[in-house]
Amino acid sequence: MAHSFTQEYFQIPSVTRAYTTACVLTTAAVQLEVITPFQLYFNPDLIIRRYQIWRLITNFLFFGSLGFSFLFNIIFLYRYCRMLEEGSFRGRTADFVYMFLFGGVLMTLFGLFANLFFLGQAFTIMLVYVWSRRNPYIRMNFFGLLNFQAPFLPWVLMGFSLLLGNSIVVDLLGIGVGHIYYFLEDVFPNQPGGRKLLMTPELLRTVFDTQEEDPSYFPLPEEQAGEFWQDQGGDGGEPNDQGQ
């Protein structure tokens, strides 16, 4: 059983595996009181004046204490991060890492003005947004109550956050940054007179795009978009791919 778990774990694509593991370990460390959220949150003053540079990264790794909110966020993070890496970024790990860096930098800059302490949820929404815009024909069902096309998924999640009494500023930030990336990467280069503005540095390509693909590697089926979705026939618990 341990061998099976280890094998399954290492079949997760590298970026998804690293980020999800870092989030889980960070939350576990807080839960075990090894560290506190006060050592992790985004604080520009401490970053600049006390050189606590790690806060630029750790604020993306903490999703709150163990509970429904944490499980909800970590499941969506894992699912959509993995499907992006195995889908439109298949064989393009450097480009995927560059999207992480681009999104992280933009969110950090916006976080300076929005007074946000943790940006992990916004980052998850960004991943969901990019995936949803690149898979516009997948039909989804929210808890058996609401049917919609994939591009509406980030807005449905924002509405769900609102119903739970949470602030939607984080969701709007994720949607905004996700749209900026999607526009610059997928829309603008295909417009008359447009060109590709987001160029992945050669250093990232040298570091991340040199590994050969594992022949025993099995991608996560794109139909398994999340634990909380059902197809239109109501028989599977996953979205129904109508046009891919």
Side-chain angles (χ1 to χ4, degrees):
M1 186 175 184
H3 175 72
S4 176
F5 173 79
T6 302
Q7 186 178 25
E8 182 66 26
Y9 175 76
F10 283 103
Q11 282 189 350
I12 300 172
S14 57
V15 177
T16 301
R17 182 172 68 240
Y19 185 38
T20 305
T21 301
C23 292
V24 171
L25 291 180
T26 300
T27 300
V30 172
Q31 198 72 17
L32 295 172
E33 299 183 352
V34 176
I35 55 177
T36 71
F38 295 104
Q39 297 172 287
L40 306 174
Y41 76 99
F42 180 65
N43 186 318
D45 185 63
L46 293 177
I47 293 171
I48 296 172
R49 296 189 178 184
R50 299 194 180 182
Y51 309 108
Q52 296 183 3
I53 307 299
W54 65 84
R55 293 179 184 272
L56 292 171
I57 299 175
T58 56
N59 78 91
F60 287 97
L61 304 180
F62 184 63
F63 289 93
S65 57
L66 290 178
F68 176 77
S69 179
F70 169 77
L71 291 175
F72 190 85
N73 278 290
I74 207 68
I75 287 172
F76 271 80
L77 167 65
Y78 167 74
R79 289 289 187 179
Y80 291 96
C81 187
R82 179 169 181 173
M83 284 193 296
L84 273 176
E85 191 170 1
E86 292 178 335
S88 56
F89 287 99
R90 183 80 177 268
R92 299 168 52 218
T93 303
D95 293 337
F96 196 44
V97 171
Y98 188 58
M99 186 189 78
F100 268 57
L101 295 175
F102 176 83
V105 169
L106 273 188
M107 287 181 190
T108 299
L109 293 176
F110 286 127
L112 293 172
F113 303 99
N115 197 31
L116 298 173
F117 300 120
F118 293 100
L119 297 171
Q121 183 179 337
F123 197 85
T124 299
I125 294 294
M126 180 195 77
L127 296 174
V128 171
Y129 184 90
V130 174
W131 176 86
S132 68
R133 293 304 298 265
R134 289 182 171 179
N135 297 272
Y137 301 108
I138 292 182
R139 294 187 59 81
M140 312 192 81
N141 182 294
F142 188 71
F143 289 115
L145 300 174
L146 184 64
N147 298 313
F148 54 91
Q149 298 288 110
F152 291 100
L153 176 56
W155 303 100
V156 172
L157 294 179
M158 184 180 72
F160 187 61
S161 292
L162 190 61
L163 288 176
L164 292 178
N166 300 326
S167 171
I168 62 173
V169 175
V170 172
D171 299 82
L172 288 173
L173 176 59
I175 290 172
V177 173
H179 183 73
I180 291 172
Y181 177 83
Y182 172 75
F183 178 80
L184 293 178
E185 182 70 12
D186 293 14
V187 178
F188 183 69
N190 297 315
Q191 299 297 312
R195 61 191 181 89
K196 186 173 176 62
L197 298 177
L198 299 180
M199 306 296 293
T200 303
E202 285 301 319
L203 177 61
L204 292 181
R205 296 193 184 281
T206 300
V207 173
F208 293 103
D209 284 350
T210 57
Q211 297 181 351
E212 295 184 1
E213 188 171 290
D214 185 352
S216 64
Y217 173 69
F218 295 99
L220 183 71
E222 193 167 45
E223 296 81 38
Q224 299 178 4
E227 301 275 333
F228 300 93
W229 313 105
Q230 296 178 339
D231 65 20
Q232 293 288 18
D235 61 353
E238 295 122 10
N240 183 22
D241 189 345
Q242 299 272 325
Q244 299 302 306

